[in-house]
Amino acid sequence: MRVILCGFGAVGQGLARLFESRADDLHARFGLKPRIVGVADSGGAVHDASGLRAGSLVAAKARGGSVASCGGRAGMAGSELVADADADVLVETTSSNYADAEPGMSHITAAMARGMHVISANKGPLALAFPSLMELAAHNGVSLRFSGTVGGGTPILDYAKNSLRGERIVSFRGILNGTTNYILSAMAGGMSPEGALADARSRGYVEADESLDLDGIDAAAKLVILANWVMGMKVTLPDVERTGIRGVGADDVRRAAGAGSAIKLIAECDGGLSVGPSDVRTDDPLCVNGTLNGISFVSEHSGTQTVIGRGAGGTETASSIVRDLLDIRRDMASR
C-alpha cells in the first residue's frame, strides 16, 4: 500500500519508524505492506515511487530541518506532492489550524479528488468541516479515518463505534485534553495556577499556542469529532459552548476538594455541546489525574462505561494510524 505523509513531526516520524520496526509483523499477521512514497513538511518534500526509508527521512529532518534534504525539493508544498505522487493513502499530520484548517484541508480534499483514502491526525479540518468532509469522501468513493484525533493511541472512537455496536449511546462526557488535566491535577496537589502552567510547559505538554489548551479549543475540537462520529450529529466547532480553565483559582480547587471532588475540564454531549470546568467526584472513574484522558459513555441499556488512557504522544498516535490503515485495507479488500 503506497502512502504519502503530509507533516513529519513527532507523529509522522513515529509512523515511519513503526512501518519499519513492524514490517514483518504487519505483513505476516495482516498482509499489509505499507510503502512510504512521499513526505512533505514545512521545508519541502521528497518523492520516490520505489519507497523511502524511515531512517533516511528522520536523519534528513534532523540534519537539515526538512525531508527535502533527503534527495527532495526545498519549498515543495504538500499540495504539490499530493497532486504529483501516485498513492493509495494520504496520512495528514500537519498542525491543527482552527481558523481555516489549512494546509490540512487542501491536502485532504485534493487527495480525495484523486481517489486516495485519507487518514487524518489533524483535528482542524474535522473540527471545522466534519459533515462536508464525510460527504466528500462518500462522493469520491474513498475512506476518511481519524482515530488519532481523539485519545491518541487510546481507541476511544473505535470503542464507541464498534464495541458498543447495537447499543444507543444517549450522552457522553469526558476529559479530552491531557495538558489541562495535568495543570488541574498539579493545582489539586498544592501548586499555584502559575506554577502548574510553568511545570506543564517545562515538560513540553503545552501547545505553542497555549490558548488551544487553556481556553478549551483542543477539547472542543475533539468533542465535535466525537459528536459527529458517535452520535451522528452534524456539528462544527462554533456549535460548542466553551469555557477554559484560566478562571480556575486555588480557592476553587480547595472548595472542590472539601466537597470530595476535583475540578476537571469536562467536554460534554448531552443534547448540546459544552466544554468547561466542572466538579467531578473523586470516586468517579472519570476522575483521572496527570495527562490521562477519560471518557464516559452512557448507553440506553448498558449503563455507563468509561475508557481511560494516554491522550497524546507521537508513537501512540502513530499506532492509531496503523489501525486506521488496517481498516482501510479491509475495506479495499471487501470492495
Side-chain angles (χ1 to χ4, degrees), residues 29 37 40 48 54 57 59 69-70 80-82 105 112 123 156 187 199 212 228 230 302 317 328:
R29 294 179 60 193
V37 298
D48 188 339
L57 291 166
S69 61
C70 186
E80 294 179 77
L81 178 65
V82 172
M105 183 72 82
M112 287 181 180
K123 297 180 288 291
I156 290 174
M187 290 172 63
D199 183 39
L212 299 181
N228 280 284
V230 176
S302 303
T317 303
I328 288 173

Side-chain angles (χ1 to χ4, degrees), residues 12-82:
Q13 292 178 45
L15 181 63
R17 291 191 182 102
L18 269 183
F19 281 169
E20 285 200 354
S21 65
R22 293 195 60 199
D24 293 340
D25 176 55
L26 289 173
H27 186 225
R29 294 179 60 193
F30 307 107
L32 178 66
K33 293 184 71 173
R35 183 170 83 250
I36 298 174
V37 298
V39 181
D41 60 22
S42 59
V46 58
H47 173 216
D48 188 339
S50 65
L52 296 160
R53 293 188 59 81
S56 300
L57 291 166
V58 172
K61 181 79 170 179
R63 180 178 62 248
S66 172
V67 294
S69 61
C70 186
R73 195 177 95 207
M76 183 178 184
S79 55
E80 294 179 77
L81 178 65
V82 172

Side-chain angles (χ1 to χ4, degrees), residues 303-320:
T304 301
Q305 300 184 46
T306 303
V307 181
I308 297 168
R310 292 184 62 183
T315 302
E316 291 83 359
T317 303
S319 71
S320 74

Side-chain angles (χ1 to χ4, degrees), residues 10-234:
V11 176
Q13 292 178 45
L15 181 63
R17 291 191 182 102
L18 269 183
F19 281 169
E20 285 200 354
S21 65
R22 293 195 60 199
D24 293 340
D25 176 55
L26 289 173
H27 186 225
R29 294 179 60 193
F30 307 107
L32 178 66
K33 293 184 71 173
R35 183 170 83 250
I36 298 174
V37 298
V39 181
D41 60 22
S42 59
V46 58
H47 173 216
D48 188 339
S50 65
L52 296 160
R53 293 188 59 81
S56 300
L57 291 166
V58 172
K61 181 79 170 179
R63 180 178 62 248
S66 172
V67 294
S69 61
C70 186
R73 195 177 95 207
M76 183 178 184
S79 55
E80 294 179 77
L81 178 65
V82 172
D84 293 346
D86 289 324
D88 303 298
V89 181
L90 163 70
V91 177
E92 223 300 324
T93 68
T94 60
S95 297
S96 299
N97 172 359
Y98 299 111
D100 59 11
E102 294 296 350
M105 183 72 82
S106 292
H107 297 160
I108 291 170
T109 55
M112 287 181 180
R114 292 200 62 202
M116 294 182 202
H117 304 287
V118 174
I119 299 172
S120 181
N122 179 348
K123 297 180 288 291
L126 295 161
L128 295 181
F130 189 106
S132 58
L133 285 175
M134 293 303 291
E135 290 175 8
L136 186 63
H139 175 76
N140 286 283
V142 298
S143 296
L144 172 60
R145 302 280 176 170
F146 39 85
S147 293
T149 57
V150 181
T154 305
I156 290 174
L157 292 168
D158 288 344
Y159 178 81
K161 196 73 169 181
N162 299 317
S163 296
L164 293 177
R165 186 185 296 118
E167 260 286 15
R168 189 172 80 89
I169 298 174
V170 296
S171 66
F172 64 82
R173 64 198 295 263
I175 298 168
L176 302 180
N177 180 270
T179 301
T180 52
N181 201 41
Y182 181 86
I183 292 169
L184 292 170
S185 298
M187 290 172 63
M191 294 184 72
S192 68
E194 298 78 16
L197 176 58
D199 183 39
R201 280 202 197 102
S202 71
R203 296 172 185 268
Y205 295 154
V206 183
E207 294 273 6
D209 178 0
E210 66 179 29
S211 67
L212 299 181
D213 295 317
L214 302 184
D215 295 332
I217 299 171
D218 175 75
K222 294 170 181 175
L223 175 62
V224 165
I225 294 168
L226 276 161
N228 280 284
W229 185 240
V230 176
M231 306 295 282
M233 300 174 74
K234 292 186 180 296

